[in-house]
Amino acid sequence: MKRLINDPYEVVEEMLDGYVRAHKEHVKLLEHDGRVVVSKQAPIKDKVGVIIGGGSGHEPLFLGYVGEGFADAAVIGNINTSPSPEPCYNAVKAVDSGKGCLYLYGNYAGDVMNFDMGAEMAEADGIRVETVLVTDDVVSSKNIADRRGVAGDLFVFKAAAAKADMGADLDAVKAAAEKANDNTRSMGVALSSATLPATGKPIFEMGEGDMEIGMGIHGEPGVRRGKIESADKVVDQIMEHILGDLPLASGDEVTVLVNSLGATPYIDLHICYRRVDQILEEKGVKVHRAFVGPFATSMDMAGMSITLVKLDNELKELLDYPCNTPYLVIK
């Protein structure tokens, strides 16, 4: 492992301290809970509170998307570990302005259990909290409701946050998140394991020169392991799975994300995006907006993922809605 850290058991606290120091114009840590990153604007009067969160190690997911026009708070767990219930509850107390709050996070058992407990604590105080789980990873289950949430989190969060910023009520904000989730699909490839700061060892073993198609951001098994292939061949396989699950017709519009899992550089990502765009162009599908870069990572893992969002007029408006956060600015 080659990492620039201090105490391996203090990496999350030190990262959060450094993050709010670097981006103090946007965010702060909740005074009585150092695991909750809150927008400097929150709570906003007559606005549904949008709360995102999950384990550390996926930066800029989740903390990087707290700010103007986006999430009101992010609840941060340990590396690859869900936040505990109390910070989930504290985030609600910090951002609720009387219209209730929406929890948004990837579909992982620990997150579901702890955020649900946070919601129960908030509801005991008379605050309504709803939840939408992100389920965009196409190969994680045949049953969509059982799928993992990966880089598609970004677009589900964005749609809900935009709707909330427009002044919609909690039911409408939740519906916007569900619509975005229903139209978002992702799949990735890992070329190496991430390394855990506490142990200095990889999460899983992968042979030199190997890759795994469909692996999850925590090292969950994919669909095939083999020798690293060309960018075009890898993209072709991923797009086959995504397009088989999200049928697109000529004339449809999409938003595309080619996402680095941490160690894969922009040069590789743009080579991959080139092939994604070629495939969509051949199908007559228009790319409305493209995102290329590290948006949902797995620490120092080499690899990338592709996300497609099928757009209609409402989703296009929500995803184009202005926001200003440390790691996403849309004007």
Side-chain angles (χ1 to χ4, degrees), residues 106-228:
N107 185 25
Y108 298 93
D111 292 296
V112 172
M113 179 177 67
N114 290 342
F115 274 97
D116 279 356
M117 290 175 66
E120 290 173 3
M121 294 163 70
E123 286 165 1
D125 289 342
I127 304 172
R128 181 184 169 201
V129 179
E130 294 289 337
T131 298
V132 174
L133 305 179
V134 185
T135 57
D136 58 305
D137 190 345
V138 296
V139 298
S140 54
S141 177
K142 291 183 179 179
N143 181 11
I144 291 177
D146 294 331
R147 290 177 178 174
R148 304 182 290 245
V150 284
D153 284 7
L154 175 69
F155 301 112
V156 179
F157 299 170
K158 179 71 178 66
K163 196 73 172 181
D165 207 58
M166 293 174 181
D169 65 18
L170 181 53
D171 289 330
V173 174
K174 182 180 180 182
E178 290 172 335
K179 184 175 187 178
N181 187 59
D182 290 344
N183 287 279
T184 300
R185 301 290 190 277
S186 302
M187 184 176 169
V189 58
L191 310 180
S192 75
S193 174
T195 50
L196 290 172
T199 65
K201 296 179 180 179
I203 297 172
F204 57 88
E205 296 299 325
M206 181 175 286
E208 189 71 27
D210 283 356
M211 67 175 188
E212 185 159 341
I213 298 280
M215 179 171 282
I217 59 175
H218 306 107
E220 298 92 343
V223 295
R224 185 177 69 82
R225 182 175 289 201
K227 293 300 177 183
I228 296 174

Side-chain angles (χ1 to χ4, degrees), residues 1-12 55-59 77-82 192-205 217-220 297-302:
M1 181 179 74
K2 295 182 178 180
R3 305 280 293 275
L4 289 171
I5 62 173
N6 297 308
D7 184 339
Y9 295 99
E10 295 292 331
V11 291
V12 175
S56 299
H58 308 301
E59 293 72 30
N78 289 328
I79 300 291
N80 289 346
T81 304
S82 65
S192 75
S193 174
T195 50
L196 290 172
T199 65
K201 296 179 180 179
I203 297 172
F204 57 88
E205 296 299 325
I217 59 175
H218 306 107
E220 298 92 343
T297 67
S298 185
M299 292 180 286
D300 55 342
M301 181 185 287

Side-chain angles (χ1 to χ4, degrees), residues 43-87:
I44 299 174
K45 185 180 179 181
D46 296 326
K47 177 186 171 299
V48 171
V50 175
I51 300 168
I52 62 178
S56 299
H58 308 301
E59 293 72 30
L61 197 70
F62 300 85
L63 73 180
Y65 306 126
V66 175
E68 183 181 357
F70 214 148
D72 297 291
V75 191
I76 308 301
N78 289 328
I79 300 291
N80 289 346
T81 304
S82 65
S84 61
E86 187 173 1

Side-chain angles (χ1 to χ4, degrees), residues 65 70 151 154-155 158 254-260 266 269-270 272-273 276 287-296 304-309 311 315-316 318-321 323 327-331:
Y65 306 126
F70 214 148
L154 175 69
F155 301 112
K158 179 71 178 66
V254 294
T255 287
V256 179
L257 167 61
V258 175
N259 173 64
S260 172
Y266 278 95
L269 298 178
H270 283 99
C272 292
Y273 178 80
V276 173
V287 177
H288 174 67
R289 188 187 289 263
F291 298 85
V292 179
F295 288 85
M304 68 89 191
S305 63
I306 298 168
T307 300
L308 299 185
V309 185
L311 301 174
L315 285 177
K316 190 185 299 185
L318 295 174
L319 298 186
D320 285 348
Y321 189 83
C323 67
Y327 285 90
L328 186 66
V329 177
I330 295 177
K331 299 181 179 179

